[in-house]
Structures are given as C-alpha cells and as structure tokens.
Amino acid sequence: MSIEEIKSKLATGLVENLTNEPSAHYIHILLLRELQSSAIFTTNGQDADITTVGISASDGLVDYSPVMMFKRKQTGSDRRKGKELQRNLINVQDTMDVNKMNQESPESMLYGSAAGDEAISVTSRVMYDTAYSIRDSSVLVEEKFQNAPGDAFAKGATTAIREPDFIMPGALFPCVVTLRDSTVQELIFVLGVTKMNKRYGAATSRIGRMDNHILGIYYGIEEGPANLFLSQEVARRLATSSDGMNSKSLNKVLYSHVLDIEKVKGLVKQAFDEEIEALNIDALGDDEVKEFVDHIKEDEMKKALEEQKVKASAFFQSVNEKPKGKKKGIKE
C-alpha cells in the first residue's frame, strides 16, 4: 500500500494539519519490547523499579512483582533518537535541554516543549504509559557487585563500589504508544524512531539493548487497554494453555526463566484485539502493517520530516501571531 492509501485508511485517527484544539484522533502502536542485553531501570540509582500487583486465578489471587519500565524511560530514549534523526536527515538542530528546545522542530512540536521566549508551551501529543514485565522481578533482576580497589593480594568483598540492579536479557514489556491528533508524517516519524531506537535505560553506551517489535497499528476516537492489562493477560493465557488458569500454572509462568517470544507476540496482539472489539478502535491488517513499517526507511523518514517541518513552523507562527495576552500552546 502507498502512503496515501495508508493515510486514507487511518483517516479517523489522523489530522491533515496541526491543530490547537484536541479533536479525538488517536493512533495506537502496539509493541512488545524485548530486552536483548542487561539494562538498568531504576529511579533511586540503585534498586530496580518494581511494584506488586495481583492476578485472579480459579483458586484465588496470585500476587507477584513485575519490573516496571517507567514511561520516562521510554519517552526520554525515543526523544533523544528523534532529535538525533532530525539533525542527521534534515539538519535541524535541537536539544534535550528542556528550556532550550527548538520549539519549531518536528520533534519538539510532537513530543512537547517548555515555554520559551514567547511564553508558549507545547504539550506532548505522544502518550506513553509505564510498561510491566510479564514475569516476576525475582527471575529478571540480578545484583552485581565490585570490590573496592586496593593493593593487597587478599581482600574481602565490599559494597564501597556497588553496581545497581540489572534487568536480565529476555525481559518482555508489552506496551502501547499513542499519538493524539497527529499527521501521517508524524506517524511515520514515530514508527521510524521505534524501529531504529535500540537502547533504553541508564548507561546505554554499554548496556540496554532493546528490540521493539511492532505488532499492530490501530486508529479511532478513544484509547485502548492499559499496558498492565496486556502483561497480565499474556500471563493468564500462557497459564491457561499449559495446565488451566489456576495458581500453580500461573506461578509457573510468572517465575519461569524463559518465555517463547513468538508465542508471546501472538498473545499480546490477541489480547489487544479482543479487548478493543467493544471500543471505537479499528486496526490495519497484519500484512498492511508489515508493508507500511518495512516501507519506512531513511528516504521516507527524511521526506516526512521535511513536510512536517513546514507544518510545524506554520502552526507555531500562527500561535505567535495571536494578540498579546492570548498566546497559548497545545493544551491537554
């Protein structure tokens, strides 16, 4: 399918030009993030981000503690990649410094920026939510220690130098990235960033290799299921297909050392597709998604960014031209 054909099919989820008034156009990108090397997802700099939740089984509630990939761990990494691509493809300079962003750049117009010299702030139109591992943190988190430096031949272990918790390779995080009131050029940009971004978490120059599997593209006038629901639903379905949905089979899934990635991909998509049947959300076909995503290469990204740069500049200029005291940015 051509870009124009895709654009036509996604019409209820896209806008032609940037608008300052939210109009309930949503595009949802269904992902399975697969960690391919150790990563650090921590808030306090030491301990892995985890939480405790429960899943109902036929014989009671099973509680477990999944690893969390906070929304900012995803957003920050994707934004850095987006600004990097802008510089490379269309020579637009921008920064991650919140008070010095180039507000007219396609990336800042889409992902948002703080008030600049004109006192105009731009709200992000790309919505992320915290993603949760399917398995329990006890089989995904490992601690690594280093001894303190010294000259002695024999020395005991010490925590003077301590590495933070590491998330082990093989961790899987189902999640959805949602674009609100976006143009087809912005969709191409986000899909390109998702395809090309390979590093998440802290110390990404050494660790944090991630493969983002794009499982589906959806469109409509409302949001779909939450990330936590998807992770829990995959665990439920894996347990049910094994020995039935009881606490024993569920714990076997939650504490297993490996999961079948291809099976999980299918179950994530199946869970999402079934949940949206009662919602105002439609989907591109699997073949259409593959063709569209495969089509997004350097030339297509460059073209989309050039076109969006014109739209972003025109929009920002129109906001700047409002009478004094009435300037405003894109609001929630």
Side-chain angles (χ1 to χ4, degrees):
M1 296 181 72
S2 68
I3 296 299
E4 284 303 315
E5 289 173 320
I6 290 289
K7 178 181 173 181
S8 176
K9 189 152 189 179
L10 297 176
T12 56
L14 295 170
V15 296
E16 183 64 33
N17 294 298
L18 296 175
T19 175
N20 205 30
E21 303 298 333
S23 53
H25 293 83
Y26 293 98
I27 296 288
H28 310 290
I29 303 170
L30 180 63
L31 302 172
L32 180 65
R33 302 194 194 273
E34 177 193 6
L35 192 59
Q36 295 184 321
S37 74
S38 297
I40 300 173
F41 300 143
T42 177
T43 298
N44 63 16
Q46 195 70 43
D47 304 307
D49 292 324
I50 63 174
T51 189
T52 300
V53 294
I55 299 179
S56 295
S58 59
D59 54 350
L61 182 70
V62 174
D63 65 285
Y64 70 109
S65 299
V67 173
M68 295 187 294
M69 187 179 182
F70 277 133
K71 58 177 288 186
R72 68 175 180 272
K73 305 295 183 187
Q74 304 168 59
T75 311
S77 180
D78 285 349
R79 292 205 69 170
R80 285 191 292 273
K81 186 65 178 180
K83 291 182 187 295
E84 172 188 308
L85 287 169
Q86 270 189 163
R87 297 184 201 107
N88 185 288
L89 297 177
I90 60 172
N91 195 30
V92 169
Q93 302 302 310
D94 204 350
T95 175
M96 285 294 288
D97 188 324
V98 69
N99 293 314
K100 296 180 181 179
M101 288 185 180
N102 177 355
Q103 292 188 303
E104 293 186 37
S105 80
E107 194 278 340
S108 288
M109 275 301 307
L110 178 61
Y111 282 89
S113 62
D117 294 337
E118 298 295 330
I120 296 172
S121 63
V122 180
T123 299
S124 174
R125 288 176 291 115
V126 187
M127 296 187 288
Y128 292 75
D129 200 0
T130 295
Y132 299 83
S133 64
I134 297 169
R135 293 178 289 158
D136 187 83
S137 58
S138 63
V139 295
L140 293 176
V141 177
E142 58 181 357
E143 293 182 342
K144 294 183 182 294
F145 293 87
Q146 288 181 333
N147 290 338
D151 293 323
F153 286 112
K155 48 187 175 289
T158 174
T159 57
I161 297 178
R162 181 173 187 247
E163 294 286 345
D165 289 344
F166 285 80
I167 314 304
M168 297 170 63
L172 301 174
F173 299 89
C175 60
V176 180
V177 176
T178 297
L179 282 70
R180 182 174 61 179
D181 295 333
S182 69
T183 65
V184 70
Q185 290 84 8
E186 290 175 322
L187 172 59
I188 290 170
F189 178 52
V190 172
L191 286 171
V193 168
T194 303
K195 280 180 60 176
M196 298 178 194
N197 196 14
K198 301 293 194 298
R199 300 278 175 170
Y200 291 82
T204 53
S205 62
R206 303 184 300 280
I207 57 177
R209 173 86 181 192
M210 186 80 74
D211 193 358
N212 293 319
H213 301 281
I214 299 174
L215 306 181
I217 298 174
Y218 302 80
Y219 55 99
I221 61 172
E222 63 178 309
E223 293 189 63
N227 293 341
L228 179 58
F229 167 83
L230 293 175
S231 295
Q232 293 177 319
E233 192 61 23
V234 169
R236 288 189 189 98
R237 293 176 189 232
L238 286 170
T240 301
S241 66
S242 176
D243 299 308
M245 186 51 186
N246 54 59
S247 58
K248 181 179 178 180
S249 61
L250 186 54
N251 277 312
K252 185 177 179 181
V253 171
L254 296 174
Y255 296 92
S256 75
H257 290 286
V258 294
L259 292 177
D260 184 334
I261 178 67
E262 293 303 320
K263 190 171 185 178
V264 170
K265 284 183 191 177
L267 291 177
V268 171
K269 190 170 189 314
Q270 184 184 87
F272 191 92
D273 288 348
E274 291 180 8
E275 189 68 11
I276 66 168
E277 286 180 358
L279 304 176
N280 296 293
I281 299 175
D282 294 307
L284 287 183
D286 292 346
D287 291 340
E288 293 171 329
V289 172
K290 185 179 187 309
E291 185 177 352
F292 184 29
V293 172
D294 288 347
H295 185 69
I296 300 174
K297 295 184 171 63
E298 181 178 334
D299 290 346
E300 195 62 47
M301 284 276 290
K302 182 177 181 180
K303 180 182 176 184
L305 281 169
E306 287 173 340
E307 292 174 352
Q308 193 58 29
K309 179 184 176 184
V310 175
K311 292 183 179 183
S313 295
F315 172 81
F316 204 78
Q317 183 64 34
S318 70
V319 174
N320 273 329
E321 289 174 352
K322 289 182 178 295
K324 189 174 182 181
K326 295 184 179 180
K327 294 176 181 177
K328 59 181 180 179
I330 299 175
K331 298 299 182 183
E332 293 281 7

mmCIF file of all heavy atoms in Angstrom, residues 11 27-28 40 58 64 85 87 95 100 109 129 131 147 212-213 223 239 257 263 276 309:
data_model
loop_
_atom_site.group_PDB
_atom_site.id
_atom_site.type_symbol
_atom_site.label_atom_id
_atom_site.label_comp_id
_atom_site.label_asym_id
_atom_site.label_seq_id
_atom_site.Cartn_x
_atom_site.Cartn_y
_atom_site.Cartn_z
ATOM 1 N N ALA A 11 -7.722 7.543 8.393
ATOM 2 C CA ALA A 11 -8.271 8.902 8.434
ATOM 3 C C ALA A 11 -8.896 9.265 9.777
ATOM 4 O O ALA A 11 -8.732 10.391 10.262
ATOM 5 C CB ALA A 11 -9.294 9.087 7.321
ATOM 6 N N ILE A 27 -3.988 7.346 17.172
ATOM 7 C CA ILE A 27 -3.282 6.244 16.534
ATOM 8 C C ILE A 27 -2.553 5.477 17.636
ATOM 9 O O ILE A 27 -1.833 6.072 18.445
ATOM 10 C CB ILE A 27 -2.248 6.735 15.497
ATOM 11 C CG1 ILE A 27 -2.931 7.446 14.335
ATOM 12 C CG2 ILE A 27 -1.414 5.544 14.988
ATOM 13 C CD1 ILE A 27 -3.705 6.536 13.397
ATOM 14 N N HIS A 28 -2.736 4.166 17.677
ATOM 15 C CA HIS A 28 -2.092 3.331 18.697
ATOM 16 C C HIS A 28 -1.103 2.387 18.023
ATOM 17 O O HIS A 28 -1.459 1.681 17.076
ATOM 18 C CB HIS A 28 -3.134 2.513 19.461
ATOM 19 C CG HIS A 28 -4.279 3.321 19.978
ATOM 20 N ND1 HIS A 28 -4.143 4.221 21.016
ATOM 21 C CD2 HIS A 28 -5.586 3.390 19.589
ATOM 22 C CE1 HIS A 28 -5.322 4.798 21.252
ATOM 23 N NE2 HIS A 28 -6.196 4.312 20.395
ATOM 24 N N ILE A 40 19.376 -1.143 32.986
ATOM 25 C CA ILE A 40 19.139 -0.558 34.301
ATOM 26 C C ILE A 40 17.894 0.315 34.227
ATOM 27 O O ILE A 40 17.874 1.334 33.550
ATOM 28 C CB ILE A 40 20.332 0.293 34.770
ATOM 29 C CG1 ILE A 40 21.599 -0.560 34.857
ATOM 30 C CG2 ILE A 40 20.038 0.937 36.127
ATOM 31 C CD1 ILE A 40 22.856 0.235 35.154
ATOM 32 N N SER A 58 -8.351 -19.337 39.302
ATOM 33 C CA SER A 58 -9.566 -20.069 39.680
ATOM 34 C C SER A 58 -9.585 -20.425 41.162
ATOM 35 O O SER A 58 -10.654 -20.621 41.741
ATOM 36 C CB SER A 58 -9.685 -21.348 38.839
ATOM 37 O OG SER A 58 -8.549 -22.183 39.045
ATOM 38 N N TYR A 64 2.339 -10.931 42.571
ATOM 39 C CA TYR A 64 3.707 -11.023 42.072
ATOM 40 C C TYR A 64 4.236 -9.612 41.880
ATOM 41 O O TYR A 64 3.499 -8.630 41.993
ATOM 42 C CB TYR A 64 3.769 -11.824 40.769
ATOM 43 C CG TYR A 64 3.150 -11.125 39.575
ATOM 44 C CD1 TYR A 64 3.935 -10.627 38.535
ATOM 45 C CD2 TYR A 64 1.771 -10.954 39.482
ATOM 46 C CE1 TYR A 64 3.363 -9.985 37.445
ATOM 47 C CE2 TYR A 64 1.194 -10.313 38.397
ATOM 48 C CZ TYR A 64 1.991 -9.839 37.387
ATOM 49 O OH TYR A 64 1.428 -9.186 36.313
ATOM 50 N N LEU A 85 17.888 11.891 14.730
ATOM 51 C CA LEU A 85 17.466 11.688 13.341
ATOM 52 C C LEU A 85 17.189 13.022 12.649
ATOM 53 O O LEU A 85 17.504 13.194 11.471
ATOM 54 C CB LEU A 85 16.225 10.795 13.298
ATOM 55 C CG LEU A 85 16.468 9.316 13.606
ATOM 56 C CD1 LEU A 85 15.152 8.579 13.806
ATOM 57 C CD2 LEU A 85 17.281 8.666 12.500
ATOM 58 N N ARG A 87 18.643 15.912 13.209
ATOM 59 C CA ARG A 87 19.926 16.524 12.856
ATOM 60 C C ARG A 87 20.531 15.855 11.629
ATOM 61 O O ARG A 87 21.075 16.514 10.750
ATOM 62 C CB ARG A 87 20.908 16.416 14.033
ATOM 63 C CG ARG A 87 20.480 17.150 15.287
ATOM 64 C CD ARG A 87 21.560 17.085 16.374
ATOM 65 N NE ARG A 87 20.975 17.327 17.684
ATOM 66 C CZ ARG A 87 20.781 16.399 18.603
ATOM 67 N NH1 ARG A 87 21.141 15.151 18.346
ATOM 68 N NH2 ARG A 87 20.240 16.703 19.763
ATOM 69 N N THR A 95 17.765 20.264 21.052
ATOM 70 C CA THR A 95 18.428 19.788 22.255
ATOM 71 C C THR A 95 17.420 19.164 23.195
ATOM 72 O O THR A 95 16.209 19.437 23.100
ATOM 73 C CB THR A 95 19.136 20.955 22.975
ATOM 74 O OG1 THR A 95 19.687 20.470 24.210
ATOM 75 C CG2 THR A 95 18.169 22.083 23.293
ATOM 76 N N LYS A 100 15.675 24.968 26.347
ATOM 77 C CA LYS A 100 16.363 25.462 25.161
ATOM 78 C C LYS A 100 15.963 24.714 23.889
ATOM 79 O O LYS A 100 16.672 24.760 22.899
ATOM 80 C CB LYS A 100 17.880 25.359 25.360
ATOM 81 C CG LYS A 100 18.408 26.229 26.495
ATOM 82 C CD LYS A 100 19.919 26.080 26.640
ATOM 83 C CE LYS A 100 20.443 26.937 27.794
ATOM 84 N NZ LYS A 100 21.922 26.781 27.950
ATOM 85 N N MET A 109 7.571 19.825 18.394
ATOM 86 C CA MET A 109 6.142 20.085 18.189
ATOM 87 C C MET A 109 5.311 18.855 18.518
ATOM 88 O O MET A 109 4.167 18.966 18.955
ATOM 89 C CB MET A 109 5.882 20.503 16.740
ATOM 90 C CG MET A 109 6.089 21.976 16.466
ATOM 91 S SD MET A 109 5.025 23.072 17.463
ATOM 92 C CE MET A 109 3.410 22.399 17.140
ATOM 93 N N ASP A 129 2.817 5.025 28.577
ATOM 94 C CA ASP A 129 2.463 4.617 29.926
ATOM 95 C C ASP A 129 3.520 3.628 30.399
ATOM 96 O O ASP A 129 4.224 3.015 29.595
ATOM 97 C CB ASP A 129 1.078 3.960 29.940
ATOM 98 C CG ASP A 129 0.458 3.947 31.326
ATOM 99 O OD1 ASP A 129 1.096 4.453 32.271
ATOM 100 O OD2 ASP A 129 -0.661 3.415 31.475
ATOM 101 N N ALA A 131 5.363 0.441 31.319
ATOM 102 C CA ALA A 131 5.227 -0.935 30.846
ATOM 103 C C ALA A 131 5.680 -1.886 31.957
ATOM 104 O O ALA A 131 6.547 -1.549 32.765
ATOM 105 C CB ALA A 131 6.057 -1.150 29.586
ATOM 106 N N ASN A 147 34.475 -5.214 43.936
ATOM 107 C CA ASN A 147 35.298 -4.981 45.128
ATOM 108 C C ASN A 147 35.891 -3.581 45.082
ATOM 109 O O ASN A 147 36.145 -3.033 44.002
ATOM 110 C CB ASN A 147 36.450 -5.992 45.197
ATOM 111 C CG ASN A 147 35.950 -7.383 45.503
ATOM 112 O OD1 ASN A 147 34.869 -7.535 46.049
ATOM 113 N ND2 ASN A 147 36.732 -8.380 45.141
ATOM 114 N N ASN A 212 12.384 -3.469 19.533
ATOM 115 C CA ASN A 212 10.976 -3.070 19.579
ATOM 116 C C ASN A 212 10.209 -3.778 18.467
ATOM 117 O O ASN A 212 10.348 -3.448 17.296
ATOM 118 C CB ASN A 212 10.850 -1.551 19.404
ATOM 119 C CG ASN A 212 11.427 -0.777 20.566
ATOM 120 O OD1 ASN A 212 11.251 -1.162 21.721
ATOM 121 N ND2 ASN A 212 12.121 0.311 20.283
ATOM 122 N N HIS A 213 9.402 -4.746 18.832
ATOM 123 C CA HIS A 213 8.597 -5.479 17.854
ATOM 124 C C HIS A 213 7.268 -4.748 17.665
ATOM 125 O O HIS A 213 6.480 -4.625 18.609
ATOM 126 C CB HIS A 213 8.333 -6.905 18.335
ATOM 127 C CG HIS A 213 9.571 -7.711 18.587
ATOM 128 N ND1 HIS A 213 10.294 -8.312 17.575
ATOM 129 C CD2 HIS A 213 10.226 -8.005 19.746
ATOM 130 C CE1 HIS A 213 11.327 -8.958 18.090
ATOM 131 N NE2 HIS A 213 11.319 -8.780 19.406
ATOM 132 N N GLU A 223 -8.899 5.674 23.505
ATOM 133 C CA GLU A 223 -7.742 4.872 23.868
ATOM 134 C C GLU A 223 -8.136 3.425 24.105
ATOM 135 O O GLU A 223 -9.308 3.108 24.360
ATOM 136 C CB GLU A 223 -7.075 5.438 25.121
ATOM 137 C CG GLU A 223 -6.431 6.791 24.923
ATOM 138 C CD GLU A 223 -5.602 7.199 26.115
ATOM 139 O OE1 GLU A 223 -4.602 6.508 26.417
ATOM 140 O OE2 GLU A 223 -5.964 8.202 26.761
ATOM 141 N N ALA A 239 -0.731 -19.426 31.075
ATOM 142 C CA ALA A 239 -1.077 -20.389 32.121
ATOM 143 C C ALA A 239 -2.233 -21.284 31.676
ATOM 144 O O ALA A 239 -2.204 -22.507 31.866
ATOM 145 C CB ALA A 239 -1.445 -19.657 33.406
ATOM 146 N N HIS A 257 12.010 -19.124 33.714
ATOM 147 C CA HIS A 257 13.270 -18.463 33.373
ATOM 148 C C HIS A 257 13.293 -17.957 31.936
ATOM 149 O O HIS A 257 14.083 -17.064 31.606
ATOM 150 C CB HIS A 257 14.448 -19.406 33.635
ATOM 151 C CG HIS A 257 14.694 -19.647 35.094
ATOM 152 N ND1 HIS A 257 15.270 -18.691 35.904
ATOM 153 C CD2 HIS A 257 14.410 -20.701 35.890
ATOM 154 C CE1 HIS A 257 15.352 -19.154 37.156
ATOM 155 N NE2 HIS A 257 14.832 -20.370 37.166
ATOM 156 N N LYS A 263 5.407 -16.856 20.693
ATOM 157 C CA LYS A 263 4.109 -17.132 21.302
ATOM 158 C C LYS A 263 3.592 -15.895 22.034
ATOM 159 O O LYS A 263 2.404 -15.559 21.951
ATOM 160 C CB LYS A 263 4.218 -18.310 22.266
ATOM 161 C CG LYS A 263 2.872 -18.814 22.765
ATOM 162 C CD LYS A 263 3.028 -20.119 23.527
ATOM 163 C CE LYS A 263 1.670 -20.683 23.912
ATOM 164 N NZ LYS A 263 1.803 -21.989 24.632
ATOM 165 N N ILE A 276 -10.423 -4.520 22.245
ATOM 166 C CA ILE A 276 -10.923 -3.326 21.539
ATOM 167 C C ILE A 276 -12.189 -3.594 20.738
ATOM 168 O O ILE A 276 -12.729 -2.671 20.110
ATOM 169 C CB ILE A 276 -9.848 -2.738 20.594
ATOM 170 C CG1 ILE A 276 -9.539 -3.703 19.444
ATOM 171 C CG2 ILE A 276 -8.600 -2.361 21.367
ATOM 172 C CD1 ILE A 276 -8.712 -3.095 18.339
ATOM 173 N N LYS A 309 8.204 19.666 9.047
ATOM 174 C CA LYS A 309 8.888 20.898 9.448
ATOM 175 C C LYS A 309 8.114 22.114 8.962
ATOM 176 O O LYS A 309 7.954 23.103 9.684
ATOM 177 C CB LYS A 309 10.306 20.917 8.884
ATOM 178 C CG LYS A 309 11.087 22.177 9.239
ATOM 179 C CD LYS A 309 12.464 22.174 8.575
ATOM 180 C CE LYS A 309 13.202 23.478 8.849
ATOM 181 N NZ LYS A 309 14.496 23.525 8.129
#
